[in-house]
Amino acid sequence: MTAPLVSMLGGLLASLERRVADSGWPAPEAAYAAHVFSSLPGVATERSNRLAGELTAAAVADVDEARWREAPVLAAAGYLLADAASSELTARWVAGVERLADRDPFPPDRASFFYRPVELLGLARGAIAAGPSGGLFCGWLAGVARDGERRVPEDVWHRGLAAAAADVLGTPWAPSLAASEVAAASVEEIALLIWLPTAYAAAGQRLLGSDERLQVHELERQLLTRAVFEPVGAADAARAAVMAAALRHAVEATLESAHGARWQLDRGERDASEVVVNLCRRFPRYILQLAARHDGRAAIQITDEYDLQDNLHALLRLHFDDVRAEVWTPNYGGIHKRMDFLLKRGRRSLRRR
């Protein structure tokens, strides 16, 4: 990656991580952010490593009983319980969700936790983490998840997080995404699809299926491309966290891939290889230029393989002192092959195919 590109991505990551840092207890988005950073290897920063502990301390200190009846607070606590159990938080959580279960999860105005997927996933994680004491609520919430499969909004953000919640509750859905839906997804939804297969493997696999266009490496390419060429922002800490985590993961994967492709070549070989690749890529322009002679002179024709080989040989001699033509390879399994050219100094060869 070039220095300007690294600088631009670094600035974007810093901006997203500041958005996360600006959120705190009792926002479920903040607790979800801590969950994202802890579940995707290698993306946590010093600040994100402190986030879960700070939220847990604030939750323990929060003794407002009215607040502990609210779905957003219970969802935030659910993430914390799942990642670091606390008997004090568990007791408050169980008392609060008993009241929550008396409410309609599918009201006509959609003003409930089911239609706020970060809350739905937090409640699901809390229900499992609470163990036997949360058993009744866990059964009720699993029923909500089963009924919700046909009610979930169509956008990727809702479907992805709700599918993860259903998996946590043991009521897996059978959702899948078409390539056209992913192509129309927002940047944060692409980031979510990169994160899901790591944090919730089964749900992620069902969503993405086997289409090559929906595999994580292709999604990472899309994410980096859009991050570079499109304005990227985040409406809340949850979206900021998943974008920051997925971007860090994509950048590291890209750097590792580039290093893996080049680490065996020393600098001289890399330079030689790049010259040859560039010559081959631009060779069609060279051919076209030969056809455009001065003053209407006859074009220099390239009609067969040997015309092509002679011209490429001449071009290689502009860059390399030792270009050896028609060199036989060593005997492998009783078979010899002949290389059109061997660049002895760079130990790189061009083989006839």
Side-chain angles (χ1 to χ4, degrees):
M1 292 188 179
T2 63
L5 182 56
V6 170
S7 177
M8 186 278 292
L9 288 174
L12 175 57
L13 282 168
S15 174
L16 292 170
E17 287 162 3
R18 281 196 300 272
R19 182 71 180 85
V20 174
D22 288 342
S23 182
W25 177 261
E29 293 80 11
Y32 170 77
H35 172 51
V36 167
F37 286 121
S38 67
S39 61
L40 197 59
V43 302
T45 64
E46 183 180 350
R47 175 69 185 87
S48 65
N49 281 331
R50 298 196 307 266
L51 182 58
E54 293 172 355
L55 291 171
T56 300
V60 169
D62 188 346
V63 294
D64 185 344
E65 290 187 9
R67 192 198 297 274
W68 282 92
R69 300 172 187 173
E70 300 170 0
V73 175
L74 294 167
Y79 286 111
L80 302 178
L81 288 177
D83 292 334
S86 162
S87 57
E88 187 172 359
L89 287 185
T90 299
R92 291 183 193 170
W93 192 87
V94 170
V97 295
E98 287 176 356
R99 301 181 181 92
L100 184 64
D102 292 333
R103 305 174 192 172
D104 181 5
F106 308 114
D109 62 0
R110 296 192 170 191
S112 80
F113 65 85
F114 179 80
Y115 299 103
R116 298 189 291 265
V118 169
E119 293 181 23
L120 176 61
L121 181 56
L123 288 168
R125 288 181 62 79
I128 299 301
S133 58
L136 291 177
F137 178 76
C138 187
W140 176 80
L141 192 59
V144 171
R146 281 192 297 271
D147 293 343
E149 184 171 3
R150 59 188 173 84
R151 304 170 184 261
V152 68
E154 286 299 309
D155 62 280
V156 173
W157 184 260
H158 276 79
R159 288 168 67 187
L161 288 173
D167 261 35
V168 168
L169 293 164
T171 57
W173 293 354
S176 61
L177 295 171
S180 58
E181 292 179 287
V182 176
S186 64
V187 176
E188 61 262 30
E189 288 173 333
I190 295 294
L192 179 71
L193 294 176
I194 293 170
W195 171 71
L196 272 174
T198 297
Y200 300 93
Q205 185 176 12
R206 285 194 298 275
L207 278 169
L208 299 177
S210 59
D211 191 327
E212 181 65 23
R213 293 168 295 178
L214 304 184
Q215 301 311 296
V216 169
H217 64 85
E218 174 60 22
L219 295 172
E220 288 176 336
R221 185 194 66 78
Q222 291 184 41
L223 179 66
L224 288 172
T225 300
R226 294 179 66 173
V228 170
F229 294 109
E230 297 179 13
V232 176
D236 55 45
R239 295 170 190 262
V242 82
M243 279 195 287
L247 270 174
R248 283 189 178 276
H249 194 268
V251 168
E252 290 181 6
T254 299
L255 292 175
E256 287 177 5
S257 176
H259 176 70
R262 296 166 64 90
W263 75 270
Q264 299 182 68
L265 303 179
D266 63 25
R267 179 56 185 267
E269 289 180 297
R270 288 199 299 269
D271 291 345
S273 179
E274 288 169 1
V275 167
V276 172
V277 169
N278 195 43
L279 278 177
C280 292
R281 285 177 174 168
R282 301 177 72 89
F283 195 77
R285 300 187 186 186
Y286 168 77
I287 301 297
L288 291 173
Q289 188 60 43
L290 291 180
R293 299 291 307 284
H294 176 73
D295 200 23
R297 299 184 183 188
I300 298 174
Q301 298 292 326
I302 296 182
T303 59
D304 58 27
E305 175 187 356
Y306 294 103
D307 288 339
L308 183 68
Q309 186 171 329
D310 290 341
N311 277 271
L312 184 57
H313 194 171
L315 291 172
L316 289 170
R317 291 298 299 271
L318 293 174
H319 300 278
F320 305 100
D321 294 329
D322 191 353
V323 182
R324 302 184 185 187
E326 305 291 345
V327 177
W328 289 96
T329 67
N331 187 329
Y332 294 105
I335 298 175
H336 288 282
K337 289 187 177 181
R338 190 172 60 184
M339 295 178 287
D340 287 341
F341 302 109
L342 172 68
L343 307 180
K344 183 66 175 178
R345 183 179 178 186
R347 302 194 302 280
R348 311 304 294 165
S349 61
L350 300 179
R351 296 188 179 183
R352 179 175 295 162
R353 296 183 183 277

